[in-house]
Amino acid sequence: MSRTRTRWRLGLTATALLVASAVVPAPANAEDVTDYAITVDPAAKGARIDDTMYGVFFEDINRAADGGLYAELVQNRSFEYSTADNRSYTPLTSWATSGTAGALSDDGRLNARNRTYLALDGGSSVTNSGYNTGISVESGEAYDFSVWARADAAAPLTVTLHDADGALAQARRVTARGGWAKYRAKFTATRSSTTGRLTVAAEGPVALDMISLLPRDTYKGHGLRGDLAEKIAALNPGFVRFPGGCLVNTGSMAGYDEASGYERKRSYQWKDTISPVEQRATNSNFWGYNQSYGLGYYEYFQFSEDIGAMPLPVVPALVTGCGQNKATDDDALLARHIQDTLDLIEFANGPVTSEWGRKRAAMGHPKPFHLTHLEVGNEENLPAEFFARFTEFRTAIAAEYPDVTVISNSGPDDSGSTFDTAWQLNRDANVDMVDEHYYNSPQWFLQNNDRYDSYDRNGPKVFLGEYASLGNTFKNALSEAAFMTGLERNADVVKLASYAPLLANEDYVQWRPDLIWFNNHASWGSADYEVQKLFMSNVGDRVVPSTATTTPSVSGPISGAVGLSTWATTAAYDDAKVTGADGTALLGDDFSGDASQWTHTGTGSWSVQDGQYVQSDEAATNTMVQAGDPAWHDYDLHVKATKKSGKEGFLVAFGVKDTGNYYWWNLGGWNNTTSAVEQAVDGGKSTLVSKAGSIETGRAYDIDIKVRGRQVTLLLDGQEWGSFTDDKPAEPFRQVVTRDAKSGDLIVKVVNAQAADARTAIDLGGAKVGRKAAVTTLQAAPDAVNTETSTAVAPVRSTFEGVADRFTYTFPANSVTFLRIKQG
């Protein structure tokens, strides 16, 4: 989507430069300095910034819940793991047994929702290995053990906490007798370990379920892991979006009950998660593991309250996404989900005299949770089908709870046909707020700071619910910081924003990048975390309008070699030709001989077969072969391509610099539903243009790509498919100024995402200010990464004493700097 830039170049006078050199000495190497000017208009009134501008998005991905924020130390505590969750799972995954022990699923179970339990004979035992390297305990800390047990006769149980070096605490004994009952014991660790094991040994026949070990010291006593909760709280988020994500809109929409056959692959449904933990449903997590629902809706609401954030739940719209893309046409099921959503609002806000308010009170929270925003759906790729169902939710909620803001969405991408259709539907219906999601390259974020400058000020507001550049280096964080200055400048349109995903257990990763990383004993914030924390802690109440000069740059033509690739598909290529704009033949290959002109840089298996160049590994992804000169520019590429088998189509690359920097025309991508041109920069991809469409198996397609300067035209079977001009500058110098009414500070926020220092003349427009500014700076090498043992990106605080109505400040290369200036 093209946006008109709103910045212009301001000249620096000789006097301004003289003043600058008197205040801040110029660096020794003048070639490492670029001059800028920032002009602030303190008399003008910019957009008001809501307290909820920035928040966090929690989804149970990368083991964010079980094995993460939820403090339970026992993995698979209820023996519910199954192949429905992961093909490698059994009810005894993460358990080791001795003697006679077996998982049973029969009428002797604890309850209907807890389908599987363990039977031990006398002299048998079961040992749990926890998460990561094991169960992590700290010397002197208390841990609460519990187990549900059933025994026909008295069955003493010996419970031990140990590692390879011996006991970690004094052994405990409990005796089970009679029907199902809960038994408890307390451990105090005598030494620390990250490789602990929990063993339960039986002296007589016994049935066991819900074997649990929880640290007594959890965040505010509410069952969440302290260091992770504290890192989230330290961000000072304005809201918590939960529980997803793809968890919300994938799988069956049926309940976990006899009618569905206790369906495991279901969308996240809030009523499954609020009963006592032993009665809560289990579910197959979309990301390839099991989720126990020990961390459920009550806990989400309570955590939001504990950190002073607005709760923002997401409920299924009965249209699946995340590659599933099916609409549920069961009217009764739709009506049930709508009623569930109304009940959710009553659970959060209703008085204790109401049905669901009474259930909340019984869980320990008689006061309401003050739910004000609720999102229906997540990234649906069927905009018409989604919006028809969204409208029914919205109408029902408005009738009973007119003060609740109901949030829609615009699909899974930042542009394209789904995005455009969804936005038009939302605008036409005057929806309150629309959730946008995108994950793009750092270059895209530097290029699109002005994305929201031209959005309709009277249309639906924007909730940027998921965004991140594709990596966790400081370069990624810098590009996000630059983009966030544009979010703040447009705070009248962008009302909520949250980086995603929030958490990642380093040993169970399904998605990168992530904000906070952890294992079973430690956690650390990424470079992106430090940027988010800096912005969330220095938001301000109102934008103070400002302008800035831009970076001088010269952008040459798109240049690079050419390439062929596939993704989960086998394909054959033939008649590859590259011709210069003047008609000069640069490459010709009909594959009648060998493929010596092509260099294999990706995965897969390529060979010449019957005069065609064939990639024959259907499972391989990004199988790139390339040919030609990286200096080529202004050329025509022709190739004939035939899909032989697989999930997608084929990919033809141009402007290939290396394995991480290229353009490619992705024909039949996204499970053969869409074709798009993608640009890869340092390995991170952004979509430049996309259209719905599929590729037929066995059909030969003629593909032509014409590159002229920075203009590219694409033809499919001789017909123009599309074109684009890649001439938007990736501006590395971005800024925004806000005012904090409480402190009276002007907050000047500057991102300098380049290798040169930015010597900047700042004109505060006559504002009366003190001479000192509190400075917070993030500066590091572009490839710096925070780890468990090294914090390469961390804030440095200092004081600058040269503030005046007009002054100069040199912003270091590769830095984010906030100046808090007192107004007189």
Side-chain angles (χ1 to χ4, degrees):
M1 183 177 297
S2 176
R3 299 294 177 200
T4 303
R5 296 180 62 80
T6 60
R7 290 180 169 76
W8 58 89
R9 176 169 293 280
L10 299 177
L12 286 175
T13 66
T15 302
L17 289 175
L18 286 172
V19 171
S21 64
V23 176
V24 178
N29 298 319
E31 68 273 15
D32 293 333
V33 180
T34 304
D35 289 324
Y36 296 90
I38 295 173
T39 302
V40 183
D41 185 358
K45 185 175 286 190
R48 188 176 72 84
I49 307 173
D50 294 344
D51 292 340
T52 52
M53 174 72 182
Y54 296 121
V56 295
F57 164 48
F58 183 95
E59 179 174 10
D60 187 1
I61 184 173
N62 310 314
R63 286 283 187 188
D66 296 333
L69 185 60
Y70 183 46
E72 175 64 68
L73 299 173
V74 175
Q75 184 175 178
N76 189 19
R77 66 181 177 188
S78 58
F79 308 100
E80 295 297 324
Y81 279 25
S82 83
T83 53
D85 310 321
N86 187 295
R87 277 183 284 180
S88 68
Y89 280 3
T90 74
L92 289 175
T93 294
S94 76
W95 293 98
T97 61
S98 68
T100 304
L104 300 178
S105 180
D106 57 29
D107 291 342
R109 60 176 63 92
L110 176 60
N111 58 60
R113 289 190 153 200
N114 210 314
R115 306 292 294 168
T116 307
Y117 64 98
L118 183 73
L120 287 180
D121 278 351
S124 301
S125 68
V126 62
T127 299
N128 190 263
S129 56
Y131 296 93
N132 301 94
T133 56
I135 292 173
S136 180
V137 298
E138 293 185 28
S139 180
E141 293 296 315
Y143 298 86
D144 291 319
F145 167 82
S146 64
V147 62
W148 282 80
R150 171 176 56 77
D152 294 335
L157 303 174
T158 300
V159 188
T160 56
L161 186 58
H162 56 95
D163 63 10
D165 294 326
L168 293 170
Q170 183 178 349
R172 300 298 183 195
R173 284 172 64 85
V174 296
T175 299
R177 56 167 57 87
W180 285 106
K182 188 174 185 178
Y183 300 90
R184 297 178 174 87
K186 173 190 170 185
F187 288 102
T188 299
T190 54
R191 58 186 177 88
S192 298
S193 176
T194 61
T195 59
R197 300 290 188 267
L198 180 74
T199 295
V200 180
E203 295 182 16
V206 65
L208 304 176
D209 208 342
M210 294 296 292
I211 300 175
S212 171
L213 187 70
L214 283 163
R216 183 161 293 183
D217 183 14
T218 60
Y219 187 70
K220 298 196 175 183
H222 290 152
L224 304 186
R225 178 171 153 175
D227 62 328
L228 292 179
E230 286 162 5
K231 280 186 171 58
I232 299 169
L235 290 168
N236 193 31
F239 65 87
V240 178
R241 177 179 181 248
F242 62 88
C246 289
L247 304 186
V248 168
N249 69 335
T250 53
S252 169
M253 300 294 166
Y256 190 63
D257 51 32
E258 187 175 4
S260 72
Y262 293 96
E263 173 63 57
R264 294 288 290 267
K265 294 185 175 182
R266 306 181 325 284
S267 62
Y268 196 110
Q269 299 175 40
W270 78 272
K271 288 181 179 178
D272 288 341
T273 76
I274 63 163
S275 54
V277 290
E278 69 273 8
Q279 297 174 16
R280 296 183 185 184
T282 188
N283 203 8
S284 172
N285 183 295
F286 174 80
W287 299 108
Y289 53 90
N290 177 272
Q291 52 187 346
S292 72
Y293 288 149
L295 177 57
Y297 256 73
Y298 179 81
E299 289 78 18
Y300 284 125
F301 277 122
Q302 191 162 61
F303 180 56
S304 300
E305 181 179 80
D306 284 345
I307 64 175
M310 176 183 78
L312 202 166
V314 187
V315 299
L318 274 73
V319 178
T320 57
C322 302
Q324 296 183 359
N325 302 335
K326 293 182 179 180
T328 301
D329 291 324
D330 185 330
D331 290 340
L333 190 58
L334 175 62
R336 193 266 283 175
H337 276 266
I338 291 173
Q339 185 59 52
D340 282 354
T341 302
L342 297 175
D343 293 342
L344 171 61
I345 299 172
E346 183 176 286
F347 177 77
N349 294 350
V352 295
T353 54
S354 65
E355 178 185 358
W356 292 99
R358 185 163 52 251
K359 291 181 186 293
R360 181 195 68 240
M363 295 184 74
H365 203 285
K367 293 182 179 179
F369 283 118
H370 305 295
L371 174 66
T372 60
H373 291 65
L374 184 144
E375 184 171 357
V376 176
N378 170 77
E379 293 188 7
E380 283 73 24
N381 209 25
L382 300 172
E385 292 86 342
F386 160 73
F387 204 77
R389 289 154 183 80
F390 169 83
T391 299
E392 294 196 45
F393 278 87
R394 183 190 183 204
T395 299
I397 294 168
E400 291 198 33
Y401 300 102
D403 294 333
V404 172
T405 297
V406 183
I407 303 171
S408 181
N409 75 78
S410 58
D413 300 305
D414 61 88
S415 59
S417 58
T418 294
F419 179 88
D420 292 339
T421 301
W423 256 107
Q424 190 61 53
L425 291 167
N426 285 310
R427 278 192 294 267
D428 291 347
N430 197 28
V431 166
D432 290 329
M433 190 175 290
V434 177
D435 187 4
E436 294 189 354
H437 293 178
Y438 37 82
Y439 298 89
N440 288 317
S441 69
Q443 176 165 305
W444 186 93
F445 283 96
L446 294 178
Q447 289 176 320
N448 286 277
N449 175 276
D450 60 351
R451 176 180 176 87
Y452 297 106
D453 287 0
S454 59
Y455 268 47
D456 183 359
R457 279 26 220 175
N458 298 312
K461 302 306 179 185
V462 172
F463 172 23
L464 181 50
E466 297 184 33
Y467 74 97
S469 73
L470 298 173
N472 268 147
T473 69
F474 190 49
K475 175 179 66 179
N476 299 100
L478 283 170
S479 71
E480 292 153 6
F483 190 72
M484 292 170 79
T485 67
L487 300 183
E488 290 193 7
R489 187 178 63 252
N490 290 285
D492 57 330
V493 169
V494 183
K495 308 304 288 183
L496 307 167
S498 50
Y499 179 103
L502 178 61
L503 294 173
N505 185 317
E506 65 175 351
D507 292 335
Y508 308 92
V509 180
Q510 294 85 41
W511 184 274
R512 299 173 188 268
D514 303 286
L515 201 63
I516 299 169
W517 289 81
F518 65 94
N519 50 38
N520 65 351
H521 63 277
S523 58
W524 56 98
S526 63
D528 316 73
Y529 173 88
E530 295 298 340
V531 161
Q532 292 291 324
K533 185 177 179 181
L534 186 58
F535 272 84
M536 289 193 208
S537 301
N538 296 275
V539 182
D541 305 287
R542 189 173 288 277
V543 174
V544 180
S546 60
T547 56
T549 52
T550 55
T551 305
S553 63
V554 177
S555 183
I558 292 174
S559 61
V562 299
L564 309 172
S565 190
T566 60
W567 199 285
T569 302
T570 65
Y573 292 93
D574 201 359
D575 297 332
K577 300 175 185 177
V578 180
T579 308
D582 61 358
T584 303
L586 302 176
L587 173 74
D589 203 335
D590 62 3
F591 302 107
S592 57
D594 58 24
S596 59
Q597 298 185 78
W598 299 84
T599 301
H600 188 186
T601 60
T603 63
S605 179
W606 289 86
S607 62
V608 174
Q609 301 177 20
D610 300 325
Q612 296 180 312
Y613 200 21
V614 178
Q615 197 295 113
S616 56
D617 184 348
E618 188 173 317
T621 59
N622 199 1
T623 64
M624 179 88 78
V625 291
Q626 63 186 64
D629 189 338
W632 281 352
H633 61 86
D634 295 290
Y635 57 76
D636 297 338
L637 166 62
H638 169 83
V639 70
K640 191 178 292 290
T642 305
K643 173 182 175 179
K644 297 172 72 69
S645 66
K647 296 179 180 178
E648 304 207 345
F650 28 77
L651 304 113
V652 179
F654 55 98
V656 180
K657 296 291 190 184
D658 51 47
T659 56
N661 295 274
Y662 54 85
Y663 301 80
W664 68 17
W665 188 4
N666 185 349
L667 288 143
W670 294 271
N671 289 320
N672 206 16
T673 62
T674 303
S675 295
V677 177
E678 297 177 281
Q679 181 184 14
V681 179
D682 294 336
K685 294 189 189 72
S686 300
T687 300
L688 303 182
V689 58
S690 69
K691 294 182 180 181
S694 60
I695 294 298
E696 297 176 25
T697 300
R699 174 183 166 187
Y701 290 85
D702 282 307
I703 297 168
D704 291 278
I705 301 173
K706 297 181 179 293
V707 181
R708 296 293 185 273
R710 301 201 68 80
Q711 169 83 29
V712 178
T713 305
L714 305 110
L715 296 95
L716 188 63
D717 288 336
Q719 301 296 313
E720 183 171 327
W721 176 88
S723 65
F724 68 93
T725 303
D726 182 24
D727 61 355
K728 199 168 188 179
E731 174 59 58
F733 185 82
R734 298 291 189 182
Q735 60 80 38
V736 69
V737 180
T738 63
R739 178 180 287 113
D740 187 333
K742 185 175 181 180
S743 67
D745 292 351
L746 278 179
I747 312 173
V748 180
K749 313 174 189 184
V750 177
V751 180
N752 182 26
Q754 61 185 326
D757 290 352
R759 183 171 51 204
T760 307
I762 300 174
D763 183 347
L764 296 179
K768 294 181 179 180
V769 293
R771 285 189 53 79
K772 294 183 180 180
V775 184
T776 306
T777 305
L778 294 171
Q779 183 187 19
D783 59 353
V785 177
N786 287 351
T787 68
E788 178 183 353
T789 58
S790 174
T791 306
V793 182
V796 175
R797 292 175 177 82
S798 60
T799 301
F800 175 68
E801 298 188 0
V803 177
D805 176 37
R806 296 182 180 182
F807 67 100
T808 296
Y809 191 94
T810 297
F811 296 96
N814 300 309
S815 68
V816 183
T817 306
F818 281 25
L819 305 175
R820 293 193 72 115
I821 302 169
K822 292 289 183 185
Q823 290 190 272

